[in-house]
Amino acid sequence: MIIIGAGLGGLSTGCYAQMNGYRSQILEMHEIPGGCCTAWERGDFTLDCCISWLLGSGPGNEMHQIWLELGALQGKEVRHFDVFNIVRGQDGRAVHFYSDPDRLEAHLTAISPADAKLIRRFCHGLRRFRKCLAVYPFLKPVGLMGTVERMRMLASFVPYFNTVRTSITELMTDYSAKFQDPLLREAFNFILYEKHPAFPVLPFLFQLASHANLSAGVPEGGSLGLAESIEQRYRRLGGEVSYNAKVEEILIEDDRAIGVRLSDGRELFADIVVSACDGHTTTMKFLKGRYLNDAYRRLYTETIREPGMVFPGYFTLFLGLRRPFPEGAPCTTYLLDESVAAELTGIRHPSINVQFRNQHYPELSPEETTVVYATYFCDIAPWRALDEGAEQISRTRGGQEVHTLPVRHGRGYYAAKRQARTALVRFLEERYPGIEDAIAVRDVSSPLTQVRYTGNYNGTVLGWQPFVESGETLEELIKKHGPGLPGLANFYQSGVWATTGGLIRAAAAGRHVMQFVCRDDGRPFTASVDKTGPLPTHVVIPVGARVPRPAREEVRTAVTTEKDAT
């Protein structure tokens, strides 16, 4: 089996392939694993740009079992904050979105007693979802469930039917518009850091409930550390990873995938090819648009270009600061006035998310320093309009072809990056005096940076949007055809382009793909928890309390048991 891409989808596919007796090789155009789940070094600082919360990081749900099977969390400390996100309005007022429903209800009601009824309804839904998470299916795709399995799954949801039904049929934009308090009316849209206009209430309850159940924390070692742990699990299982290996074409013979052609001209052959990289690149470049039925062709040539069908990219500013800023919260979303938003190229909604990232990952920066991570959702089109060069290029270095080296952009592009950086630093300086003078390291990236490193369509980090035409169409196609393409044998897609959602969905996609592969080959699927390390431990950190590294043990909470691990 050849697997294209060493992101979490590719690594997961490889792990489950090896568990089931397949001999696999992962091809990755970058020099490190992880794809979008990554970090990089600048001076003494490691800048982590992915995991702000990891669904399934704690027990009591099927998501957690997948991470344990992949060896992602063993031996690590998982950190949890008692506030999921703070949303701060232009007037300085703040809403603390505690994930504990009792605490959240008291806090919101104190802000706006007039909205007590609507607040109670939301917090009631949160309480129900905390219980509902235990029955959410992640281990097996619905398309492979038999009639009895489907009936059992549906029966497990019966106690939560009304909560799920009402939360999935009402958009958060409509729900939030009912609040009388203007800050709550805005703030509820930004619970998940950015505004998602097409999201119903359900994902907001799902995320907060996971957080409340200590299953949406951040793992020690950060994003790249998580990817490296899974890569190590893959290698222990006998898998092989080849870096600086960029696929240009999937080789086809008699309507069967038989291998790949690399950018250096080499051809590698296999019985099965799995693409766990960008979906548009896979279908329109690697396969030259072949094997797309009417539904798939519309998805990849029309729907993908419509607004809101694919997650947008990010503009990111990192600051490595020479001193502590204990007043900075782990995560705050600021609602901006139009004058600030106007300086941020491509911004979708007038808001930025600011995280004092050293509180998430203290091991990734020196003692007595701070890492600020500021982001906003943005479209790639305004950045492309300023660009004058290639978005991605391959070069030879030390006799080896590499594919992620810097490329030259136009003057307008660099000017826009400087303008956004300056505006964000000025904004932060006004709220945290002394930040500007404390800067030791700064780094900026745009959606075009994402394209250079991953090749992702329009710089997206998550692929298809759920709850809209694109995501719903994909789910129906996979139920009907599996994670492949009609008429093409021995080919499968994995990762975020074979599902909708974040890291846990990408990891689950690898498990699901191998279940389809095993079905097609007439063999039983098997998976096992990695036993090479101890179960993860968990620590809860109160927001606003600066916890010194040696004292972290004092607030450690044991939430794992041997039963949970199995």
Side-chain angles (χ1 to χ4, degrees), residues 59-269:
N61 54 81
E62 292 189 355
M63 299 179 287
H64 190 60
Q65 180 173 326
I66 292 173
W67 293 127
L68 294 182
E69 291 173 350
L70 296 176
L73 300 176
Q74 277 81 340
K76 297 184 179 182
E77 177 184 87
V78 181
R79 293 97 183 219
H80 309 266
F81 301 102
D82 60 351
V83 179
F84 181 75
N85 185 22
I86 300 170
V87 179
R88 195 169 290 277
Q90 295 178 34
D91 60 0
R93 287 200 302 154
V95 182
H96 290 63
F97 281 100
Y98 300 100
S99 56
D100 175 77
D102 297 335
R103 196 172 179 187
L104 178 63
E105 183 173 342
H107 172 65
L108 296 177
T109 304
I111 291 175
S112 179
D115 289 307
K117 184 177 180 180
L118 202 57
I119 292 166
R120 280 198 302 272
R121 178 182 156 194
F122 184 83
C123 293
H124 173 74
L126 178 53
R127 293 183 183 97
R128 299 295 292 161
F129 259 86
R130 290 192 66 180
K131 298 178 180 179
C132 182
L133 290 178
V135 301
Y136 250 84
F138 274 85
L139 296 179
K140 189 172 185 178
V142 176
L144 287 180
M145 290 183 182
T147 301
V148 174
E149 285 179 298
R150 290 194 187 196
M151 293 299 293
R152 286 175 178 167
M153 180 192 70
L154 293 173
S156 67
F157 275 97
V158 168
Y160 316 105
F161 175 77
N162 284 334
T163 301
V164 172
R165 177 183 58 82
T166 56
S167 64
I168 202 171
T169 54
E170 184 173 21
L171 291 177
M172 177 55 85
T173 50
D174 295 334
Y175 186 87
S176 62
K178 299 174 183 178
F179 284 99
Q180 296 183 39
D181 184 272
L183 178 58
L184 295 186
R185 201 156 52 233
E186 274 294 292
F188 265 74
N189 289 290
F190 292 89
I191 292 174
L192 302 182
Y193 301 0
E194 288 89 11
K195 188 174 184 178
H196 303 265
F199 274 21
V201 175
L202 185 145
F204 297 84
L205 293 174
F206 189 98
Q207 304 286 1
L208 285 176
S210 297
H211 192 260
N213 287 0
L214 298 187
S215 195
V218 296
E220 179 183 359
S223 305
L224 182 56
L226 185 88
E228 290 174 337
S229 294
I230 301 174
E231 185 213 38
Q232 291 163 14
R233 166 72 161 155
Y234 174 61
R235 290 185 185 276
R236 287 195 298 271
L237 288 165
E240 178 185 348
V241 187
S242 296
Y243 291 105
N244 295 307
K246 185 178 182 182
V247 172
E248 292 288 343
E249 183 181 356
I250 294 175
L251 302 176
I252 306 295
E253 186 177 279
D254 297 329
D255 297 327
R256 306 176 75 85
I258 62 168
V260 298
R261 180 179 293 114
L262 302 183
S263 59
D264 61 7
R266 286 183 296 154
E267 293 184 347
L268 304 177
F269 297 94

Side-chain angles (χ1 to χ4, degrees), residues 16-17 34 70 76 123 131 156 183 198 224 250 276-277 286 301 431 443 447 497 543 545 552 556 564:
Y16 288 111
L70 296 176
K76 297 184 179 182
C123 293
K131 298 178 180 179
S156 67
L183 178 58
L224 182 56
I250 294 175
C277 63
F286 296 167
T301 62
R431 285 147 187 83
D443 198 30
W497 291 92
V543 170
R552 300 179 70 84
R556 186 178 301 277
D564 294 322

